[in-house]
Amino acid sequence: MQTEERNARIIARGKALFASIAGEKPTLFNTSSWTGKIMEWSMRNEQFKIQLFRFVDVFPSLKTSEQLTGHIREYFGSEQDMPPVLSSGARMAGMFGTLGGSLLAKLISANIHEMAGQFIIGEQVGAAVRQLGKIRRDGFAAVVDVLGEATLSDEEAEAYIATYQVLLGALEHEQQRWECLRGGVGDPELDWGGSPKVNVSVKPTAIFCMANPQDFEGSVQAILKGIRRICARVVALKGFLCIDMESYRFKDITLEVYRRLKLEYRDYPHIGIVLQAYLRDADRDLADLLSWAVAENIPISVRLVKGAYWDYETVRSAQMGWEIPVRTVKADTDATYERLARMILEQHQICHFACATHNIRSISAVIEIAKELQVPEARFEFQMLYGMAEPVRRAILKETGRVRLYSPYGDMVAGMGYLVRRLLENTSNESFLRQSFSGKARIIERLLEDPAVTFAQEEAVQAGLPNKSDAGHDGLPPFANEPMVDFTRADHRVAFPEAIARLRSQPAGICPLFIGGSDSVTDDRISSRNPAHPSEILGQVCQAGIPEVDCAIRSASDALPAWRDTPHRDRATFLLNAAGIARGRIFDLAATQVLEVGKQWDQAYADVCEAIDFLEYYAREMIRLGVPRRLGAVPGELNHYLYEPKGVAAVIAPWNFPLAISCGMASAAIVSGNTVVFKPSNLSAMVGHHLVDIFREAGLPPGVFNFVPGRGEVIGDFLVEHPDISLVAFTGSMEVGLRIEERAAKIHPGQLNVKKVICEMGGKNAIIIDDDADLDEAVPQLLGSAFGFQGQKCSACSRVIVLDALYDRFVERLVKAARAWRVGPAEDPAFAMGAVVDAAAQKKISEYVSLGRLEGTVLYESPVPQGEGYWVPLTIIGGIRPEHRLAREEIFGPVLAVMRAKDFDQAIEWANCTGFALTGGLFSRSPEHLDRARHAFRVGNLYINRGITGAMVERQPFGGARMSGTGTKAGGPEYLLNFMDPRVVTENTLRRGFAAEEADDKRLG
Ligand SMILES: Cc1cc2nc3c(=O)[nH]c(=O)nc-3n(C[C@H](O)[C@H](O)[C@H](O)COP(=O)(O)OP(=O)(O)OC[C@H]3O[C@@H](n4cnc5c(N)ncnc54)[C@H](O)[C@@H]3O)c2cc1C
């Protein structure tokens, strides 16, 4: 059939469907109900919509009437200012006055329950089963989904599976009482065309709480293990099991789980999977799945949807610097939907098709394609979400007789994510339902247009638009963070073990010093060891003594004049070249960290990304700052403000961000015209030496960057006190930082400069958990912040301050979730936590754990591997008070102190009560508390409703105050100023009464 003819038929069918529901409205768009009014108001008022959806999100966690009234006021204003749509019911009922607030709250609460009830068939299995009976009496089949998305612990995953067992138990009994729909096929368990009456959907990530593409195989195995248990039961009662598709991150894992499950149930046809047309991978994934099914001769079933995570996918990919995995033009998704539907229907013998959409155009297209391909009715059905598009579902039922409603049941708290997604979907500008049924409905012709044509037109319009120039200042593209590793990509997943194997295949070599552009070997060496297997030696690191450091300082001093006078743009170009070199060997650089300091894959990769970011960012910053600025506008006078480097910089770096921090401090010094003597930590000198390779390859002149690993107690003071050192850039512990401050302050004979010290020290960082916090977010983020890289980040969370009202619930979930964190070598992605960096760290941390037993109560202590390795358990200690040492001293390890605060004021007071002020976090959904924290939570980097580690260059310049640092912000717009002295040159341009203004640019341009 010709495309035009088919399209004409689709439009005709669509028009007929529209005509059959003329005058009807889905409940959500019916303004005679509260829900309908609210939805209408939100569609007209974007700000209200945001507030409403945020309120709906927090609503289930509001346990007392004070909390409820407080949040209503915070979100929507006082009763008088509140949008009439919220308060009108109460006004009419005369509910205002002294008691008005709480009565209004009750009314709103009842309405939100009703709104949730619109989409959820019940909170208990009994109610759900009754509602299913009603659905079936109306002629619809159902697919039941247990509410709940990602689970946080094995116990929660187990509870999720158990809920299915209970549900299936109830359905097994119940299905005998259900009449077969459309006469069935003679079997009491089957409806039309042999379709099972019992049909359930499962969410893979709810089955395994640590699902993560980084551990692809482990995730597949664990999900499969859980799904098998549900599947066995479903098969036993001749039911249907569909595996839902969640965010893109889990797509390939889910597809793999499906394939393996199907191989185990080769001949059982009623196991399906969901594919999302909005994904750019969708065509390829479907083609692969179909050809696999044909090759294996395995019957499959696909529910085709457009995809429910569009906002999330676009935001997340932008934040991570990844290509957007979803289509960005709605008509593209719609056209893909029709294209994929055809692919499936063409293979209807092997693939059963569930067409899941509310879009009349999409449905009409499927009906027409199926007709054209003469697909038997039993091979395809229609599915819609319970609570949505009621007129459409009735019309399709009438037309086809085969409509299944996706019917979620379960706890409202778990259901809020689902509800918010449905509300967003319905009120989005792109929503077919909104465009069909809301106030300003679009004309039917537009709604039924061929999306392929619409998309082609939109593309043509886009192509005609002038290209957005991506040039930043001075011809460089604007700064953008280096994209994070993307473990959804198989090439990224294999790159790590390959790089680690490559590293191991090289003999443990000697790591020399680098002074004045040449390698220099010393007899004094120390071994660099893998903390998970200390007997594994990665290299022998030459140790600088005082003569070598002296020599390095001399080289740096000699190189200084020429380097200082190198044009700032040229200096910046060296950094850009270095960035390119680092980018080209990113996995090798990361692999060294996995083995040398025990960083997990993603963390190691992030460290290299940050190093690249520093190079790219500081290069641009220098180009910006390097041009002298003209000040004042007085005639006859020329004032120029310019910078010059301070001199020779000592860069003393820690082991915990072994490339990023070293590279950040060194590159800032270099690009601003200083020369550098770099002393890495001995614990990460192999990583540190990569900087030598990178800068050497980038062509940095000899002496500009010198590398002198050595023992702090031997060379530290000498380096800091040396009269030729003008600047010390240090990141590390408070003890060493304060010593450097003191030593650098003393002037030595021959010293020409007052030394500048840039000092980043430790933290005792707290996260506050407010009583309305979203625990689904807070618990995993907190665990990541506290135990990622074994808690050995200066930004790591070491105190969690929980409001009394939520304390018990929070602690219970935290401890259960922590149990899922397995401890083992960082090179194996199955382990979330690894070994600490060395024996000294192990001893110190263990002493704090012992102290914790005295000061508080151990809530959880994880098992650790037996045998060699610097293992310490993941430890959570409760009952800690502000006066305890565990609440005040930096531990730098995986030990989390849990504190119970009576209210928000006390939580803020405790958060601020240590000598440090580095990072801090707050999980809260109270607008007032968020506002208070912005002002009163005094830390260098405050993170709201997210983890507190992983600051990004340019977006979150990093550094603290008080005993955490001297207020410099690495990766921020003022950082380079710390490495330079400003100068002003003033010239009188008046010569015998004649002012020569044109001389300006010639002088300093
Ligand atoms: C029975 C059933 C089961 C479902 N199961 C799942 C599931 O397992 N996983 C899942 O992700 N979703 C699932 N969904 C939801 C589904 O993905 C859609 O979000 C929802 O059905 C709305 O799509 P529509 O075709 O009905 O409406 P339409 O209004 O025609 O389409 C809306 C959809 O278009 C897409 N879109 C919106 N804006 C843009 C844009 N700018 N560019 C490109 N595309 C855009 C989005 O996918 C959006 O949801 C299910 C839906 C149903 C009916």
Side-chain angles (χ1 to χ4, degrees):
M1 191 187 292
Q2 293 296 313
T3 314
E4 272 142 44
E5 188 191 337
R6 182 184 315 117
N7 194 46
R9 287 180 188 217
I10 294 171
I11 292 175
R13 182 172 292 274
K15 281 186 177 165
L17 282 170
F18 266 116
S20 73
I21 57 174
E24 295 181 54
K25 283 207 168 194
T27 314
L28 278 182
F29 298 99
N30 186 343
T31 49
S32 60
S33 70
W34 185 84
T35 302
K37 280 199 190 77
I38 283 280
M39 296 297 279
E40 195 203 23
W41 188 266
S42 357
M43 286 185 280
R44 280 200 272 132
N45 183 333
E46 190 59 26
Q47 197 49 39
F48 175 76
K49 176 172 150 179
I50 293 168
Q51 292 300 89
L52 175 72
F53 291 176
R54 287 185 169 177
F55 179 74
V56 169
D57 170 59
V58 67
F59 173 74
S61 70
L62 306 176
K63 300 291 177 210
T64 64
S65 78
E66 290 78 40
Q67 269 189 317
L68 189 57
T69 43
H71 279 71
I72 290 173
R73 180 180 44 72
E74 288 178 38
Y75 276 87
F76 303 111
S78 62
E79 292 150 18
Q80 286 70 24
D81 321 326
M82 195 173 280
V85 67
L86 266 184
S87 57
S88 59
R91 272 181 218 288
M92 278 169 358
M95 283 177 176
F96 287 135
T98 40
L99 267 182
S102 68
L103 286 172
L104 179 65
K106 275 193 187 145
L107 184 78
I108 291 177
S109 167
N111 282 328
I112 289 185
H113 270 105
E114 196 185 305
M115 191 191 261
Q118 165 78 21
F119 294 101
I120 296 170
I121 56 169
E123 289 201 83
Q124 307 295 335
V125 72
V129 167
R130 276 195 298 281
Q131 194 60 21
L132 287 176
K134 182 168 179 320
I135 288 171
R136 290 183 63 86
R137 282 195 295 283
D138 289 343
F140 298 98
V143 39
V144 186
D145 155 74
V146 172
L147 282 168
E149 312 211 339
T151 48
L152 300 185
S153 61
D154 292 343
E155 280 96 333
E156 287 180 17
E158 199 50 46
Y160 179 77
I161 294 171
T163 311
Y164 272 96
Q165 303 291 9
V166 172
L167 171 72
L168 289 167
L171 293 181
E172 181 175 17
H173 172 69
E174 200 67 17
Q175 70 166 332
Q176 309 301 331
R177 299 175 25 186
W178 288 339
E179 298 259 317
C180 296
L181 292 174
R182 288 193 102 207
V185 287
D187 196 326
E189 284 89 9
L190 304 176
D191 285 329
W192 67 68
S195 165
K197 286 180 182 172
V198 170
N199 187 323
V200 293
S201 258
V202 288
K203 296 222 160 25
T205 62
I207 285 173
F208 177 48
C209 67
M210 298 299 274
N212 180 353
Q214 181 165 323
D215 180 21
F216 190 89
E217 182 56 30
S219 301
V220 169
Q221 297 272 1
I223 293 171
L224 201 51
K225 196 166 153 212
I227 277 196
R228 269 192 203 113
R229 289 163 56 199
I230 299 176
C231 190
R233 190 79 194 267
V234 169
V235 172
L237 51 88
K238 294 191 188 167
F240 190 107
L241 175 73
C242 183
I243 305 180
D244 279 0
M245 193 59 81
E246 301 172 83
S247 61
Y248 183 68
R249 200 166 131 75
F250 303 107
K251 189 256 296 172
D252 285 345
I253 291 177
T254 308
L255 278 164
E256 187 58 27
V257 166
Y258 180 65
R259 282 202 187 90
R260 293 198 201 171
L261 191 66
K262 280 298 309 179
L263 285 170
E264 292 173 19
Y265 289 92
R266 295 186 78 93
D267 301 324
Y268 191 75
H270 304 307
I271 301 176
I273 187 163
V274 176
L275 292 182
Q276 297 156 322
Y278 69 3
L279 290 184
R280 293 189 192 281
D281 293 353
D283 292 77
R284 197 194 56 215
D285 287 341
L286 176 60
D288 287 353
L289 191 62
L290 289 172
S291 47
W292 173 81
V294 170
E296 294 280 345
N297 195 24
I298 289 182
I300 60 171
S301 174
V302 170
R303 176 201 297 157
L304 186 63
V305 302
K306 290 185 188 157
Y309 305 83
W310 193 87
D311 286 21
Y312 171 80
E313 302 292 6
T314 46
V315 168
R316 181 171 157 84
S317 52
Q319 288 185 349
M320 306 299 271
W322 297 333
E323 264 183 45
I324 301 179
V326 293
R327 297 165 204 283
T328 49
V329 177
K330 166 73 163 58
D332 189 13
T333 299
D334 291 341
T336 307
Y337 192 92
E338 294 184 16
R339 193 168 63 244
L340 300 191
R342 169 172 277 276
M343 279 168 72
I344 300 172
L345 289 168
E346 280 170 349
Q347 302 272 12
H348 62 83
Q349 276 102 347
I350 197 95
C351 183
H352 169 260
F353 179 38
C355 165
T357 171
H358 313 96
N359 183 317
I360 290 179
R361 161 76 205 194
S362 309
I363 294 170
S364 303
V366 166
I367 295 175
E368 285 303 325
I369 297 168
K371 204 167 145 199
E372 183 189 332
L373 299 172
Q374 298 180 349
V375 180
E377 279 195 355
R379 299 304 293 157
F380 69 112
E381 66 179 45
F382 297 87
Q383 297 191 351
M384 291 181 214
L385 300 176
Y386 175 80
M388 277 174 65
E390 294 92 333
V392 182
R393 78 186 187 206
R394 283 194 293 269
I396 305 303
L397 183 66
K398 209 159 140 208
E399 179 91 10
T400 69
R402 301 182 313 285
V403 177
R404 188 177 304 280
L405 301 186
Y406 184 95
S407 309
Y409 110 90
D411 180 28
M412 238 243 291
V413 178
M416 275 301 142
Y418 177 83
L419 176 59
V420 170
R421 268 213 306 283
R422 296 291 80 85
L423 295 179
L424 273 172
E425 199 168 277
N426 278 287
T427 51
S428 118
N429 287 332
E430 302 279 17
S431 156
F432 182 88
L433 291 177
R434 174 177 175 173
Q435 293 184 5
S436 306
F437 295 107
S438 83
K440 284 192 218 138
R442 276 170 67 176
I443 44 173
I444 286 173
E445 275 74 16
R446 291 285 317 275
L447 293 169
L448 294 174
E449 273 170 2
D450 181 352
V453 173
T454 314
F455 177 50
Q457 286 165 351
E458 288 196 29
E459 268 197 318
V461 172
Q462 289 297 328
L465 292 177
N467 253 350
K468 269 192 219 140
S469 159
D470 63 351
H473 53 273
D474 260 306
L476 280 178
F479 172 79
N481 296 106
E482 186 65 16
M484 286 291 164
V485 62
D486 179 1
F487 288 112
T488 63
R489 292 174 50 172
D491 58 334
H492 280 195
R493 289 199 296 272
V494 298
F496 262 97
E498 279 174 8
I500 291 170
R502 237 183 343 265
L503 188 62
R504 283 210 166 109
S505 69
Q506 296 153 13
I510 292 174
C511 171
L513 314 182
F514 183 68
I515 298 174
S518 306
D519 289 340
S520 164
V521 175
T522 57
D523 293 334
D524 180 12
R525 294 170 197 168
I526 59 161
S527 303
S528 166
R529 294 171 188 277
N530 176 349
H533 303 287
S535 55
E536 179 181 6
I537 292 177
L538 305 165
Q540 299 292 342
V541 181
C542 291
Q543 297 292 286
I546 286 176
E548 287 81 17
V549 174
D550 197 36
C551 181
I553 295 173
R554 231 175 313 118
S555 291
S557 303
D558 292 347
L560 181 65
W563 183 244
R564 181 186 54 207
D565 294 339
T566 302
H568 68 276
R569 279 199 122 271
D570 296 353
R571 297 198 306 257
T573 304
F574 282 107
L575 259 57
L576 295 173
N577 292 343
I581 294 162
R583 194 175 286 121
R585 57 181 77 143
I586 198 160
F587 283 101
D588 290 310
L589 293 171
T592 314
Q593 303 196 19
V594 174
L595 293 190
E596 193 177 29
V597 294
K599 272 206 174 192
Q600 289 71 30
W601 292 4
D602 53 344
Q603 314 259 347
Y605 193 97
D607 184 75
V608 185
C609 288
E610 193 179 354
I612 296 170
D613 284 351
F614 282 131
L615 292 164
E616 293 276 354
Y617 180 74
Y618 292 147
R620 286 167 176 76
E621 278 298 286
M622 195 60 228
I623 291 171
R624 177 176 72 85
L625 294 167
V627 180
R629 263 184 294 159
R630 186 165 176 194
L631 302 179
V634 180
E637 181 180 283
L638 197 53
N639 297 304
H640 275 116
Y641 191 86
L642 53 125
Y643 296 104
E644 70 172 27
K646 285 185 176 290
V648 178
V651 171
I652 304 174
W655 49 266
N656 63 339
F657 287 90
L659 194 69
I661 294 182
S662 310
C663 180
M665 293 192 295
S667 61
I670 289 170
V671 81
S672 45
N674 305 277
T675 54
V676 167
V677 176
F678 167 49
K679 180 194 142 351
S681 160
N682 263 335
L683 295 170
S684 60
M686 303 293 290
V687 176
H689 190 264
H690 281 301
L691 263 188
V692 174
D693 296 337
I694 291 169
F695 283 137
R696 183 162 33 192
E697 217 172 304
L700 211 58
V704 174
F705 178 74
N706 303 278
F707 173 73
V708 285
R711 295 178 180 79
E713 62 278 16
V714 176
I715 61 171
D717 287 350
F718 178 78
L719 179 60
V720 169
E721 291 171 0
H722 198 289
D724 291 344
I725 292 288
S726 302
L727 160 72
V728 183
F730 167 79
T731 303
S733 70
M734 182 181 77
E735 291 70 29
V736 178
L738 295 182
R739 183 183 173 94
I740 289 175
E741 287 280 357
E742 198 183 326
R743 300 265 154 167
K746 191 161 175 356
I747 307 295
H748 295 272
Q751 183 171 331
L752 298 177
N753 293 308
V754 176
K755 289 179 203 224
K756 164 91 180 182
V757 180
I758 299 163
C759 199
E760 294 291 338
M761 299 178 289
K764 186 70 198 173
N765 311 309
I767 292 181
I768 297 177
I769 308 289
D770 202 355
D771 57 9
D772 66 351
D774 179 353
L775 295 189
D776 288 348
E777 289 288 332
V779 168
Q781 297 286 344
L782 181 91
L783 288 172
S785 302
F787 303 116
F789 186 38
Q790 299 75 266
Q792 302 171 114
K793 303 179 189 175
C794 36
S795 53
C797 171
S798 62
R799 296 179 293 153
V800 56
I801 304 171
V802 192
L803 263 70
D804 182 52
L806 199 64
Y807 186 91
D808 294 332
R809 241 178 322 141
F810 170 79
V811 166
E812 190 193 342
R813 289 196 81 188
L814 176 74
V815 170
K816 283 182 178 166
R819 284 185 212 283
W821 276 56
R822 291 170 57 211
V823 181
E827 67 189 275
D828 181 346
F831 297 111
M833 209 182 93
V836 299
V837 75
D838 68 354
Q842 183 187 32
K843 178 166 178 289
K844 181 181 154 200
I845 299 164
S846 304
E847 283 166 9
Y848 272 107
V849 173
S850 305
L851 177 68
R853 282 183 216 289
L854 300 175
E855 290 189 332
T857 320
V858 175
L859 299 173
Y860 179 61
E861 201 172 349
S862 72
V864 293
Q866 298 306 305
E868 70 161 346
Y870 305 126
W871 305 109
V872 290
L874 181 162
T875 309
I876 303 176
I877 299 192
I880 294 299
R881 308 248 336 141
E883 60 276 15
H884 288 148
R885 281 178 59 200
L886 233 65
R888 310 187 86 85
E889 295 175 16
E890 188 177 37
I891 301 173
F892 226 64
V895 182
L896 177 69
V898 190
M899 307 170 76
R900 187 198 286 260
K902 69 176 190 304
D903 56 24
F904 193 70
D905 288 337
Q906 187 172 61
I908 291 275
E909 186 194 322
W910 286 2
N912 286 330
C913 81
T914 72
F916 298 100
L918 187 53
T919 64
L922 166 66
F923 282 88
S924 172
R925 288 178 283 186
S926 152
E928 257 175 37
H929 286 182
L930 299 186
D931 222 34
R932 289 241 312 276
R934 279 175 194 278
H935 296 108
F937 196 157
R938 300 219 136 66
V939 286
N941 287 69
L942 176 66
Y943 297 93
I944 295 174
N945 289 326
R946 51 154 283 175
I948 64 171
T949 58
M952 303 284 279
V953 170
E954 191 196 41
R955 279 153 59 188
Q956 294 110 16
F958 185 77
R962 288 204 244 158
M963 290 301 150
S964 293
T966 47
T968 49
K969 281 284 190 192
E974 285 138 23
Y975 190 66
L976 289 191
L977 302 183
N978 297 295
F979 292 79
M980 299 186 285
D981 290 323
R983 287 174 53 206
V984 174
V985 179
T986 300
E987 179 181 345
N988 171 14
T989 56
L990 212 58
R991 302 267 198 287
R992 294 184 181 275
F994 171 67
E997 286 297 323
E998 50 74 35
D1000 182 1
D1001 289 343
K1002 288 202 179 129
R1003 279 179 176 78
L1004 289 156

